[in-house]
Amino acid sequence: MAFTRATAQLAEKLTEKLTGLTESLTEKHHLSSRSVRTRAGLVGAAAVAVTGVVGAAATPAIATPDEGSRTYALGFVQAMAVGDTIADDVRAQAQAQQRVADAAAEKAAEERAAKEKAAKAAEKRRAAKEREAAKERETAEKKRANERADRSAERRSATGYVDPVAGVDTTTTYKQAGASWSSGKHSGIDFPANTGTPVRSVGPGTVVTVGWGGAYGNQIVIRHDDGKYTQYAHLSATKVSAGQKVDGGQQIGAVGSTGNSTGPHLHFEARNGAYYGSDFNPITYLAGKGVDV
Ligand SMILES: [Zn+2]
């Protein structure tokens, strides 16, 4: 189907009119340059479409300038409608981009939260590990203490002698000077301990005295198999009777503060005889039995 000359002229005129109309619309509506570019392109396309329509329907009866203008105007309105649709699309695209940005921000926040959670979990694991290590150290320390006690027990069993109050060192020296003692000198050594702490015979022997000893309070005297005596004073309780055989380490009474005493402690003496005044150095005596006090 060929264009007639008249149709070609009509298309040219339409394009001129279209351009003028586009310019006036652009001024009227202060459209953005981008929007104008979009619309100008659409108008061009519309003009081609209109030309095609006109060409396709080319008869002298409808190919008048007026009819062509109407056809063009219809095409332009359609083009404007398409332009508005594109503007909507641009807005929709902007909204879609905003949604993408929002989703990205949300994802970043989620990742931050996940990282924080992971850091907290790691800190928790570290603390748990530390507690476990502390527990292990404590267990190892207890084990070493038990081993020390075992070695100490073995040494004792070799001699059959022990210290009179388990694990307590004496706080005095033998013959220490002081106003507290009637002789002016300490006749034994003291082991401070809470009332009720077990007092044990330092070695195997036989109980010779149990009872009240005046300034000594409740006391016990034991004759050992080597012929020497030991005395235990200020007791809160006694657990043996005269004539009873005892082993080294066997409990015979409990720490107290009876008699002439300023506080709970065991007063301990080594003696050559059963009575007061026959004392000798108890530290040397126990050391001779392998016991360090
Ligand atoms: Zn004493």
Side-chain angles (χ1 to χ4, degrees):
M1 197 182 299
F3 283 103
T4 64
R5 189 178 179 78
T7 307
Q9 281 169 347
L10 172 62
E12 204 174 320
K13 275 183 188 167
L14 283 174
T15 304
E16 275 169 20
K17 281 197 178 185
L18 179 62
T19 305
L21 196 57
T22 302
E23 278 165 5
S24 83
L25 276 170
T26 301
E27 274 172 42
K28 219 174 186 175
H29 296 294
H30 305 288
L31 297 173
S32 72
S33 60
R34 186 174 173 167
S35 178
V36 169
R37 276 199 307 277
T38 307
R39 288 171 190 218
L42 286 163
V43 165
V48 172
V50 168
T51 309
V53 167
V54 172
T59 65
I62 62 161
T64 64
D66 281 347
E67 292 231 353
S69 288
R70 277 201 297 280
T71 309
Y72 154 73
L74 180 62
F76 181 76
V77 168
Q78 281 170 344
M80 289 300 285
V82 170
D84 283 345
T85 302
I86 287 206
D88 285 345
D89 285 350
V90 169
R91 273 194 296 278
Q93 197 181 344
Q95 283 167 357
Q97 279 170 352
Q98 185 60 47
R99 279 198 295 276
V100 168
D102 289 348
E106 200 175 313
K107 197 182 173 192
E110 272 170 20
E111 279 170 2
R112 263 200 311 280
K115 258 183 200 167
E116 271 167 33
K117 201 173 168 189
K120 266 182 196 165
E123 169 60 20
K124 215 171 172 183
R125 280 197 299 276
R126 194 193 59 73
K129 220 172 182 180
E130 210 162 84
R131 276 198 302 277
E132 203 170 301
K135 213 171 177 182
E136 274 171 22
R137 280 196 297 276
E138 200 180 310
T139 306
E141 181 53 46
K142 268 184 191 162
K143 197 181 168 196
R144 279 195 294 278
N146 284 340
E147 283 167 358
R148 272 199 302 275
D150 288 349
R151 280 197 299 277
S152 182
E154 281 163 23
R155 196 168 59 236
R156 279 172 197 148
S157 68
T159 63
Y161 279 73
V162 299
D163 49 354
V165 183
V168 177
D169 290 335
T170 182
T171 53
T172 59
T173 54
Y174 178 57
K175 296 287 186 192
Q176 188 171 312
S180 306
W181 304 290
S182 55
S183 68
K185 292 244 168 108
H186 199 196
S187 53
I189 53 176
D190 293 338
F191 295 86
N194 292 332
T195 296
T197 303
V199 170
R200 51 200 197 164
S201 173
V202 294
T206 307
V207 178
V208 293
T209 307
V210 180
W212 188 252
Y216 286 123
N218 293 317
Q219 63 161 340
I220 296 169
V221 177
I222 293 171
R223 184 186 189 277
H224 296 290
D225 300 344
D226 62 1
K228 304 295 183 187
Y229 296 78
T230 52
Q231 183 232 17
Y232 311 80
H234 309 306
L235 303 175
S236 61
T238 56
K239 296 185 180 298
V240 289
S241 47
Q244 186 181 330
K245 291 255 180 203
V246 293
D247 286 328
Q250 181 178 330
Q251 185 180 358
I252 53 173
V255 171
S257 191
T258 55
N260 184 11
S261 170
T262 53
H265 73 281
L266 172 71
H267 172 90
F268 175 80
E269 290 183 17
R271 294 177 176 174
N272 287 307
Y275 303 100
Y276 171 75
S278 62
D279 55 273
F280 65 94
N281 190 336
I283 295 171
T284 307
Y285 178 62
L286 289 176
K289 304 291 186 184
V291 178
D292 178 22
V293 294

